[in-house]
Amino acid sequence: MTTIALATAVRQDAGALLGAYEAGQWVPEQAERELAEGLAMGQWTGPYFRASLCGVPPAVRSGRLIDQLAPAIKVLDQADVDQDVVRRLRLLIDAITPDL
């Protein structure tokens, strides 16, 4: 998959998960919320996401959030990061972590 296609997929999937969250169709596990809190306060780079996702608990591995974040690493690794992807991911993370 090309970087452009991957960026498009990540952007669309993050938007879909945000929509499911807002509609009450998806509720993140506590471990997913904790991961989101760490990401919200960190750097939005491929290396930071990669380190944050390393060794996550099984509740995160089996959840829906990881399906959005893992592919985002490759997009965030790019020198010219697609800012629309970053904005969409931030909207998702911000919705999950409203108290930060």
Side-chain angles (χ1 to χ4, degrees):
M1 181 178 282
T2 68
T3 303
I4 293 170
L6 181 59
T8 300
V10 169
R11 185 177 58 250
Q12 290 172 344
D13 291 348
L17 189 57
L18 175 60
Y21 176 75
E22 290 173 338
Q25 298 168 337
W26 171 66
V27 178
E29 298 289 333
Q30 181 60 34
E32 289 177 304
R33 288 183 188 277
E34 292 169 3
L35 173 61
E37 287 173 2
L39 293 173
M41 296 185 288
Q43 300 173 350
W44 285 70
T45 64
Y48 184 77
F49 267 52
R50 189 174 293 104
S52 296
L53 298 181
C54 184
V56 294
V60 173
R61 289 262 174 236
S62 65
R64 291 180 64 188
L65 185 59
I66 195 81
D67 293 340
Q68 311 312 310
L69 300 178
I73 292 170
K74 289 183 181 178
V75 176
L76 295 172
D77 275 338
Q78 299 303 307
D80 187 19
V81 175
D82 185 331
Q83 292 303 309
D84 288 337
V85 172
V86 174
R87 277 190 289 279
R88 188 67 57 97
L89 288 168
R90 285 199 77 82
L91 286 172
L92 174 61
I93 297 299
D94 289 348
I96 297 170
T97 60
D99 296 332
L100 293 182

